[in-house]
């Protein structure tokens, strides 16, 4: 039996911003390729609740009152198609139970389809953007989690000793008990953030080794399940994940397919960034950011927070 346990026991009412303050880096904006800026704008503002921060004829930035979380580029000619490496999904993390409940309330108010899942370490709502790119709304709950068990399939032991499936049904009524503000004209909280990224990798072990060079620490590594994930130093350890469930050695989708263009990783200190650049050795500097590619071919920009 392989087990991976978290040593940190987080206070469930502790602000998520404080939870991640000890981490070596955080995600900046996710850049997407989409087929229609009009449809994307409706999705990110009306369905997700983000603020339109800036727009041009072919691109738009969405986020909170204070920061950009998603940038859409109208460069795709065809919707997202499965079977390629690249983005699996990325997650918008709510800072507290009330804001997570408001995310759910907004989906109900707009009759937008989604899948609710309880992962024990987090509570999640999965939905697709207009081009079929999967987006996750997440509330981090690492205080409920004890360890992962991989004997005979992946299971979770929670903090009280119960053995659960890795993905079980999320009790939506309990989520909505925390709904305090039903005002959907108000955008997402300024403390909302990109909290994790999950990739289709053409080779999980190579991708896993690469991201450890950037500073991520191993949480789970299950070659038998073609899956690995890593943390960034805090109690919530599922910051970056990768799988090959779409097939080994699959290429990235063609450039004109909807999907992820690149993502940004913001380092907490100059020293941590320098260490990562020394480890990867191959990079291109531009305007204070450093462009690197993971073994699958995903583009990411490394910079200082």
């Amino acid at each position: 039996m392989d087990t991976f346990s978290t040593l940190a026991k987080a206070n469930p009412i502790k602000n998520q911003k404080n939870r991640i303050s000890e981490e070596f880096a955080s995600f900046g904006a996710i850049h997407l390729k989409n087929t229609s800026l009009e449809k994307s704008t409706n999705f990110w503002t009306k369905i997700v609740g983000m603020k339109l921060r800036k727009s041009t004829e072919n691109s738009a930035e969405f986020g909170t009152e204070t920061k950009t979380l998603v940038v859409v580029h109208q460069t795709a000619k065809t919707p997202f198609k499965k079977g390629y490496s690249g983005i699996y999904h990325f997650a918008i993390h709510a800072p507290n139970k009330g804001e997570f409940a408001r995310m759910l309330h907004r989906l109900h108010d707009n009759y937008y389809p989604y899948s609710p899942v309880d992962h024990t370490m987090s509570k999640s709502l999965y939905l697709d953007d207009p081009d079929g790119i999967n987006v996750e709304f997440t509330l981090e709950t690492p205080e409920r989690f004890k360890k992962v068990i991989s004997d005979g399939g992946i299971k979770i032991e929670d903090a009280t000793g119960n053995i659960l499936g890795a993905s079980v049904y999320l009790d939506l009524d309990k989520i909505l008990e925390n709904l305090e503000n039903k005002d959907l004209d108000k955008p997402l909280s300024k403390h909302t953030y990109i909290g994790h990224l999950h990739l289709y990798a053409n080779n999980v072990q190579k991708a896993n080794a690469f991201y450890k060079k950037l500073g991520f620490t191993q949480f789970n590594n299950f070659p038998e399940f073609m899956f690995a994930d890593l943390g960034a130093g805090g109690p919530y350890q599922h910051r970056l994940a990768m799988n090959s469930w779409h097939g080994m050695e699959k290429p990235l989708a063609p450039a004109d397919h909807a999907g992820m263009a690149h993502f940004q990783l913001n380092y907490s200190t100059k020293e941590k960034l320098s260490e990562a650049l020394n480890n990867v050795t191959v990079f291109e500097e531009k305007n204070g950011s450093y462009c690197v590619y993971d073994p699958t071919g995903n583009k990411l920009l490394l910079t200082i927070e």
Side-chain angles (χ1 to χ4, degrees):
M1 178 182 294
D2 294 320
T3 60
F4 296 81
S5 59
T6 174
L7 301 178
K9 292 182 184 273
N11 185 332
I13 63 173
K14 191 175 182 182
N15 189 286
Q16 300 282 34
K17 187 176 181 181
N18 293 332
R19 280 182 174 177
I20 64 174
S21 63
E22 63 199 86
E23 300 188 3
F24 80 93
S26 60
F27 291 105
I30 303 288
H31 288 247
L32 303 177
K33 299 177 292 181
N34 281 110
T35 60
S36 169
L37 207 56
E38 180 181 358
K39 290 180 180 179
S40 294
T41 298
N42 180 72
F43 175 78
W44 289 108
T45 57
K46 183 179 180 181
I47 305 303
V48 180
M50 290 187 183
K51 178 183 176 65
L52 175 61
R53 293 173 53 81
K54 184 187 297 185
S55 65
T56 68
E57 184 179 353
N58 296 308
S59 67
E61 297 183 11
F62 305 96
T64 69
E65 293 284 355
T66 58
K67 62 180 178 291
T68 295
L69 300 177
V70 174
V71 182
V72 169
H73 305 272
Q74 186 178 281
T75 57
K77 303 300 181 184
T78 186
F80 180 82
K81 291 185 178 179
K82 296 181 179 180
Y84 294 100
S85 293
I87 186 72
Y88 180 58
H89 65 247
F90 68 97
I92 311 295
H93 285 221
N96 54 54
K97 293 178 180 179
E99 283 298 311
F100 187 63
R102 202 156 68 93
M103 287 176 165
L104 174 59
H105 175 58
R106 188 183 297 277
L107 294 178
H108 285 181
D109 189 72
N110 286 286
Y111 300 97
Y112 201 85
Y114 68 93
S115 297
V117 179
D118 192 335
H119 295 300
T120 304
M121 181 175 271
S122 64
K123 300 179 181 183
S124 301
L125 309 170
Y126 293 91
L127 57 151
D128 287 343
D129 84 345
D131 278 314
I133 301 170
N134 195 241
V135 180
E136 178 182 345
F137 294 163
T138 305
L139 178 68
E140 297 178 19
T141 58
E143 69 280 352
R144 300 190 303 147
F145 172 86
K146 183 178 180 181
K147 63 185 178 183
V148 175
I149 303 170
S150 66
D151 185 17
I154 297 178
K155 302 180 184 68
I156 304 293
E157 181 177 349
D158 71 12
T160 60
N162 294 315
I163 306 300
L164 309 168
S167 300
V168 299
Y169 181 74
L170 181 64
D171 189 332
L172 300 179
D173 290 334
K174 282 192 173 295
I175 299 299
L176 291 173
E177 287 176 2
N178 297 292
L179 182 62
E180 299 175 352
N181 186 347
K182 296 184 179 181
D183 181 10
L184 297 183
D185 291 328
K186 180 182 177 183
L188 295 179
S189 163
K190 66 180 182 180
H191 299 301
T192 305
Y193 55 101
I194 303 293
H196 76 267
L197 176 65
H198 195 149
L199 302 170
Y200 279 128
N202 59 15
N203 185 303
V204 170
Q205 295 310 307
K206 287 182 180 179
N208 185 65
F210 171 83
Y211 284 105
K212 286 198 287 187
K213 289 180 179 179
L214 293 187
F216 288 95
T217 55
Q218 197 73 65
F219 181 38
N220 299 299
N221 188 2
F222 300 133
E224 66 273 33
F225 299 119
M226 296 186 292
F227 172 84
D229 63 347
L230 306 108
Y236 180 83
Q237 300 183 67
H238 182 77
R239 289 296 177 206
L240 196 141
M242 60 220 78
N243 71 68
S244 290
W245 301 334
H246 62 311
M248 291 287 291
E249 303 299 339
K250 294 288 186 177
L252 290 175
D256 62 353
H257 283 46
M260 183 176 68
H262 67 269
F263 68 94
Q264 186 169 316
L265 192 60
N266 299 331
Y267 281 76
S268 59
T269 67
K270 186 180 296 185
E271 291 73 22
K272 290 291 185 182
L273 174 58
S274 296
E275 184 178 344
L277 294 174
N278 287 335
N279 286 339
V280 297
T281 66
V282 179
F283 55 84
E284 180 182 351
E285 192 275 334
K286 186 176 182 180
N287 299 326
S289 296
Y290 299 85
C291 175
V292 299
Y293 292 85
D294 74 7
T296 299
N298 293 300
K299 178 182 177 181
L300 53 154
L301 299 180
L302 311 183
T303 188
I304 295 290
E305 200 167 53

